[in-house]
Amino acid sequence: MARSAAAALANVDLNLLVILRELLREQNVTRAAERVGVTQPAASAALARLRRHFDDDLLERTRGGYVLSPLGRRLAVQVEPLCLGLERLFAPEEPFRPEISEHEFTIMTTDYVLAAMGESLSRAVHDAAPGVRLHVPVVKGRLPTDLPETLRTLDGIISAPKAEFKADELRGQELFRDRWVCVVDAANPVRDRMELGDLERLPWVIPNHPDPQYPASSPLAPLLAMLGTRPRVAVRVDSYAATPWFVAGTDRVAVMQGRLAAGFADRSDLRIVACPGDPPPIVEVFWWHRLRSDDAAHSWLRAMLDTASRSLRPGP
């Protein structure tokens, strides 16, 4: 079996991997040719060879241009880590020097984490490595389903611990903790510490949950388990930071992170009150794939994240 697999690989022109990646990225033959540094006819010929090899169009023509076929979408996910590994294998090993580096790091997270430490991370990276770039996709709704595979292509994800992160391939570094609070309109008659009955009675504003009800995997699951009924959801919004906008002037309640709520503490039309039931703390962790653990650039990034979140952690 191993010999036949090796023989099959030997019959493949691995140079096609480079043009395949750019064709799937750009979904445009001309732009892919420019990125690889070949002529458009050469890129078209390569696409034709790839179509014969996979027995699939890969790029399908529409009125608005090309789109990826279903197989093309699957290959787009697979080819990135493969090409990245080949680049690392054959590239000369050079020490990472942040002061002159133009490396780009990609970190996926939520707008809540950015509100808590985005500016301090930006400043720390800029001061130590002004040429380094950050790409920060903001999560809306659920995280990607296959986290180990996703983290092969990203430098990391900042998220609360979830069952999906309990994979042998993944590593984590705690950054900071926070507490849950309730936000209500200033005229709401609830006490400074809400009762469970208040949460059962009042309509809720919930952020970043595609399901109208809080799912069982919610970080607030221990608090929700104490309620006699499921929350009555009035507003769903794909942003933690926008949550208070849908509370002011209403009888609604939002259960949200203390540090984020503190940013609205000076608003006279809102009130921050204690959450009932003493729910467990919010824990934010930087997750990455173990393949990056020994990478010098990635180690430097983890140090920057530690520096940026240090002020959010309690002292000794």
Side-chain angles (χ1 to χ4, degrees):
M1 178 69 72
R3 291 183 63 185
S4 62
L9 185 61
N11 290 328
V12 176
D13 182 359
L14 295 182
N15 289 319
L16 289 175
L17 274 176
V18 179
I19 189 66
L20 173 62
R21 175 169 65 170
E22 299 307 329
L23 285 166
L24 297 178
R25 276 178 172 178
E26 298 293 336
Q27 299 177 40
N28 181 285
V29 175
T30 301
R31 290 199 300 269
E34 291 173 352
R35 287 182 61 89
V36 176
V38 300
T39 64
Q40 189 202 33
S44 296
L47 176 59
R49 291 178 62 190
L50 289 164
R51 283 170 164 167
R52 288 195 298 271
H53 176 81
F54 289 106
D55 191 23
D56 187 271
D57 284 343
L58 301 180
L59 297 179
E60 299 175 342
R61 187 185 293 275
T62 67
R63 287 185 177 182
Y66 285 101
V67 297
L68 296 181
S69 70
L71 176 60
R73 290 195 295 272
R74 293 197 298 273
L75 291 177
V77 175
Q78 296 171 353
V79 76
E80 288 290 346
L82 180 59
C83 288
L84 187 62
L86 289 171
E87 288 169 355
R88 289 174 177 163
L89 178 64
F90 289 103
E93 188 69 25
E94 295 183 359
F96 178 70
R97 298 174 58 191
E99 67 276 7
I100 63 171
S101 175
E102 296 184 353
H103 190 93
E104 180 175 275
F105 294 102
T106 301
I107 304 170
M108 180 180 289
T109 190
T110 62
D111 62 343
Y112 155 62
V113 171
L114 294 181
M117 59 172 288
E119 183 175 348
S120 57
L121 176 61
S122 172
R123 289 177 179 272
V125 169
H126 179 268
D127 291 346
V132 163
R133 303 185 304 278
L134 295 175
H135 176 211
V136 188
V138 177
V139 176
K140 293 184 177 180
R142 293 190 179 96
L143 289 167
T145 53
D146 191 342
L147 290 175
E149 190 61 37
T150 299
L151 283 167
R152 285 179 176 270
T153 61
L154 301 178
D155 289 289
I157 296 174
I158 302 176
S159 170
K162 300 178 186 295
E164 296 88 341
F165 286 110
K166 294 180 179 179
D168 291 340
E169 305 100 305
L170 304 186
R171 302 291 182 265
Q173 168 184 316
E174 183 176 321
L175 297 179
F176 66 92
R177 296 190 173 206
D178 202 349
R179 65 189 178 95
W180 295 105
V181 298
C182 296
V183 179
V184 295
D185 183 77
N188 196 309
V190 298
R191 298 177 180 178
D192 288 342
R193 173 175 284 276
M194 294 191 74
E195 303 291 336
L196 288 173
D198 295 324
L199 291 182
E200 293 172 345
R201 174 176 53 84
L202 298 175
W204 284 39
V205 178
I206 63 171
N208 277 340
H209 281 283
D211 191 282
Q213 304 291 343
Y214 264 120
S217 62
S218 166
L220 283 172
L223 174 61
L224 298 175
M226 299 172 64
L227 300 179
T229 60
R230 293 178 69 90
R232 182 159 55 93
V233 177
V235 177
R236 289 182 292 137
V237 58
D238 290 338
S239 168
Y240 288 109
T243 305
W245 301 343
F246 298 94
V247 172
T250 75
D251 63 345
R252 301 170 189 151
V253 60
V255 181
M256 60 188 304
Q257 303 89 340
R259 285 193 175 89
L260 190 57
F264 302 92
D266 60 347
R267 286 185 53 160
S268 60
D269 56 346
L270 293 174
R271 190 155 61 98
I272 300 171
V273 299
C275 199
D278 295 321
I282 303 159
V283 181
E284 293 295 336
V285 178
F286 178 62
W287 305 93
W288 72 92
H289 199 285
R290 67 182 181 186
L291 293 176
R292 301 182 186 272
S293 292
D294 296 328
D295 180 77
H298 200 270
S299 296
W300 176 86
L301 173 64
R302 299 197 299 270
M304 289 293 100
L305 287 163
D306 181 74
T307 297
S309 60
R310 193 168 299 156
S311 65
L312 305 177
R313 300 195 293 269

